Structure formats: C-alpha cells, structure tokens
Amino acid sequence: MKNTYKIDFVNNTLTMTKAFEDAASNPTSQEYKLLQQIRADFPGLTIIRKTRRAPKKARPTKNLTYANMEKYMSVFQNADELLAQFEVVKTCSLEQPSPYKFVRDWFEAQFPKYKELPDFGNNAPKVIDLAAFQKKQEEKKEQKGA
C-alpha cells in the first residue's frame, strides 16, 4: 500500500488511512507487524485515522440541462426567437461529436452571464448568428489540433 500512513515526529502522531487501519486489524498482515514495530519504537506515539477526504472540484455547469436552458431563455422578451434558435442549435448539434457540449457552448456564448440574474430591461439578448458560431467552433478545433 502506498501513502497509507504518515508519521509526524514533531507532533508525535501517526496518521493512517482507513485502508491501512483495516489491513492492520488482521494480525497476520504486514501492516499489523509494521504498526506493532512502530508502536514498539515510539511508545508515546498517538495514532489517529485520516477522516477527511479531499474536496471534489465543483462543476460550474452542474445543472445546465436543456430544460434549464429553456427555462432561462423563456423569461426574456424575445423568448420565442431565442427558443426557436435553441431548437435549431439542438438539431445542428446532432452532427457534432459531442452534441451537448456544442449546445452548451452556444448557450454560454449567447448568455455569458447566465449565472447572474437576467436583465429584464429593454436590453434583451440578441440572438447569435448560428453560422458565425459554428465557424468559431471550427476555428477553436483547428487551434487545438495545431
């Protein structure tokens, strides 16, 4: 086992993982023998178990489903136009290697501040030209490939 325990000589502690603890509970295992040797060498050593896991990185697009995209677009004054364009984008995405990513990229380009409250004033979002968007996507692919 790798990185299953750590001895801190300054604080006089041994920190072990759950896997090491489970293995050390078997008297015939190497981990048990190692733990007994460490305890014999350092009788005042405090043994603790590592309890916390590393936090997972939050996904910024966790709830960005097609349904939630439609709900977001439906609040604007030009919702009919936006939803019609959204349907065209979904249809065009079927030809792409990753249809959802294509639609999500369009949505993020159309609504760069979608995580904030929408502006209900006269500044309704303009519908992005789909042909121009597809051209930008192809240019990004070429840049990544180069």
Side-chain angles (χ1 to χ4, degrees):
M1 291 185 168
K2 198 173 189 180
N3 298 328
T4 55
Y5 71 95
K6 180 180 177 183
I7 299 176
D8 183 359
F9 293 106
V10 174
N11 295 322
N12 202 26
T13 60
L14 177 132
T15 305
M16 66 176 125
T17 63
K18 174 138 177 57
F20 186 84
E21 180 185 34
D22 291 343
S25 65
N26 180 0
T28 60
S29 69
Q30 287 296 110
E31 288 82 1
Y32 178 82
K33 293 174 185 168
L34 177 65
L35 186 59
Q36 291 300 2
Q37 184 63 45
I38 292 171
R39 291 178 75 190
D41 292 346
F42 306 101
L45 195 69
T46 304
I47 299 173
I48 57 175
R49 190 175 116 212
K50 190 177 189 178
T51 57
R52 140 179 134 61
R53 293 179 182 233
K56 291 184 178 180
K57 188 176 179 180
R59 286 188 345 222
T61 59
K62 181 178 179 182
N63 288 323
L64 195 56
T65 62
Y66 289 166
N68 287 340
M69 290 179 202
E70 288 174 357
K71 285 179 189 175
Y72 184 84
M73 288 183 276
S74 67
V75 300
F76 292 103
Q77 290 176 354
N78 60 343
D80 295 336
E81 187 180 353
L82 290 168
L83 291 171
Q85 181 73 9
F86 183 64
E87 291 302 321
V88 171
V89 169
K90 286 197 306 189
T91 304
C92 291
S93 72
L94 299 176
E95 301 168 3
Q96 302 295 322
S98 177
Y100 171 75
K101 184 171 180 342
F102 182 81
V103 174
R104 189 187 76 208
D105 289 345
W106 172 84
F107 183 80
E108 289 174 343
Q110 178 71 46
F111 305 101
K113 297 179 182 181
Y114 72 91
K115 293 179 186 175
E116 300 170 8
L117 287 174
D119 180 17
F120 294 112
N122 293 335
N123 299 334
K126 306 283 187 279
V127 178
I128 294 177
D129 180 29
L130 185 58
F133 175 75
Q134 285 178 319
K135 187 175 179 182
K136 283 183 183 179
Q137 292 297 101
E138 290 171 6
E139 289 173 2
K140 283 182 184 179
K141 285 181 187 176
E142 290 174 5
Q143 287 176 354
K144 286 183 181 179

